[in-house]
Amino acid sequence: MAIDQPLVPQPGDQTRIHNIGYRHYDGPRLGRAYARRSLYSQSLRGSYGLGRSVKSKVLPMLLFVVMCVPAAIMVAVAVATKAKDLPVDYTRYAIIMQAVISLYVASQAPQSVSRDLRFKTVPLYFSRPIETADYVRAKFAALASAMFILTAAPLIVLYVGALLAKLDFADQTKGFAQGLVSVTLLSLLFAGIGLVIAAVTPRRGFGIAAVIAVLTISYGAVSTLQAIASDQTATHAIPWIGLFSPVTLIDGLQSAFLGASSAFPGGVGPTHGEGVVYVLAVLGLIAATYGLLIRRYRKVGL
């Protein structure tokens, strides 16, 4: 019958067990506000690829340059020719560059939220002192801020150039302020729509395609219907058709209240009464996208 032998330490065995005890964290507890600010800052930096790989910086930085270069060219032409006004109004610039803006939100909205869904890190956020509303507010504010930077930067270039060209200070300042109001609403609206669509799928590629499709198809369909209404002399229907596309919503709002010229067929923009409907539609859509994001992440965070 075999007899168990006692365990004998092998020569050279350096195994040790150290009981260092459990140490409580005695540092400052910064709470939800700090976590929310950190998430906002990280998401805003990520919207331009900062703190990420070089590959992640290429597209957002390229789109930023593409947004600003035409403004710089317009300023150079105005200064060289001693023009009495800029070639384009401040409120018109974002509408003209809508394709670049749509591509930016389509690329960055999925980057902001789809990765968290794909790698299932959302519940980890909510395991810390941060709630659903904090996450949504930080992501919404970060993408809206990134878009405001994208759309406001060329307006600043135009404004500085106008002052260098010694154009009327009061007129340029008024136009610049109107342009900032316009791009602020555009940034909030596009950010909300982009995030809602991107939050539906964890696949970034699907999110990009879906955002582009929604923004492009809606604008194309509305523009086509407005053109048909104009050909049929049903000009009274043109402003109401414009309610069904994010781009035309901003166009109609600023033509009604911000002194902008309308891009609608025949230049038929909404009246002040119809403009009130545009304002309510824009604010309602922004609020609706925020509410949908809250509802979405209450389910995801479970």
Side-chain angles (χ1 to χ4, degrees):
M1 182 176 182
I3 300 175
D4 294 337
Q5 297 295 326
L7 296 175
V8 178
Q10 298 297 322
D13 186 4
Q14 301 297 320
T15 302
R16 298 289 188 274
I17 298 176
H18 298 278
N19 181 13
I20 61 176
Y22 177 79
R23 299 181 62 184
H24 292 278
Y25 174 72
D26 298 324
R29 298 185 182 275
L30 302 176
R32 288 174 56 190
Y34 177 80
R36 187 167 56 244
R37 289 195 302 270
S38 298
L39 182 58
Y40 166 80
S41 175
Q42 180 265 337
S43 300
L44 177 57
R45 286 168 53 83
S47 295
Y48 284 96
L50 303 178
R52 301 173 60 206
S53 64
V54 175
K55 181 180 178 181
S56 301
K57 296 180 176 66
V58 174
L59 182 59
M61 292 300 183
L62 177 62
L63 293 176
F64 181 82
V65 171
V66 171
M67 281 292 294
C68 293
V69 166
I73 294 174
M74 292 177 188
V75 165
V77 171
V79 172
T81 60
K82 297 181 180 180
K84 296 182 179 180
D85 205 352
L86 293 172
V88 64
D89 294 336
Y90 295 95
T91 50
R92 294 293 309 150
Y93 193 85
I95 303 299
I96 294 172
M97 304 295 290
Q98 60 172 295
V100 179
I101 298 171
S102 298
L103 183 57
Y104 180 86
V105 70
S107 63
Q108 297 310 309
Q111 184 277 137
S112 181
V113 296
S114 295
R115 289 162 58 90
D116 290 343
L117 294 172
R118 181 177 181 181
F119 297 111
K120 303 184 185 304
T121 57
V122 175
L124 297 179
Y125 283 110
F126 299 155
S127 68
R128 309 306 301 167
I130 188 173
E131 297 183 358
T132 303
D134 298 319
Y135 180 89
V136 171
R137 288 169 189 164
K139 291 292 184 177
F140 200 129
L143 185 57
S145 298
M147 292 197 62
F148 179 78
I149 292 171
L150 180 77
T151 53
L155 300 188
I156 295 174
V157 173
L158 288 174
Y159 182 63
V160 172
L163 297 183
L164 292 176
K166 298 180 180 180
L167 303 182
D168 185 78
F169 176 80
D171 288 344
Q172 297 304 316
T173 302
K174 180 182 178 182
F176 177 61
Q178 291 171 336
L180 289 180
V181 173
S182 176
V183 298
T184 298
L185 293 172
L186 182 147
S187 299
L188 290 169
L189 180 60
F190 276 49
I193 293 173
L195 288 174
V196 166
I197 297 172
V200 174
T201 174
R203 298 292 181 179
R204 184 181 177 186
F206 291 163
I208 293 173
V211 174
I212 291 177
V214 169
L215 295 178
T216 304
I217 293 175
S218 64
Y219 177 72
V222 166
S223 298
T224 301
L225 291 174
Q226 287 180 326
I228 293 173
S230 179
D231 289 340
Q232 298 296 325
T233 66
T235 55
H236 62 280
I238 293 177
W240 299 110
I241 297 173
L243 291 169
F244 297 95
S245 165
V247 176
T248 53
L249 268 176
I250 298 299
D251 190 345
L253 184 151
Q254 65 182 18
S255 64
F257 295 110
L258 298 177
S261 57
S262 177
F264 292 175
V268 182
T271 63
H272 285 289
E274 294 166 340
V276 172
V277 179
Y278 273 73
V279 172
L280 294 176
V282 170
L283 297 180
L285 273 176
I286 294 171
T289 54
Y290 176 78
L292 289 172
L293 287 170
I294 291 289
R295 183 177 180 181
R296 168 63 172 159
Y297 281 99
R298 280 177 180 166
K299 296 179 179 180
V300 174
L302 295 177

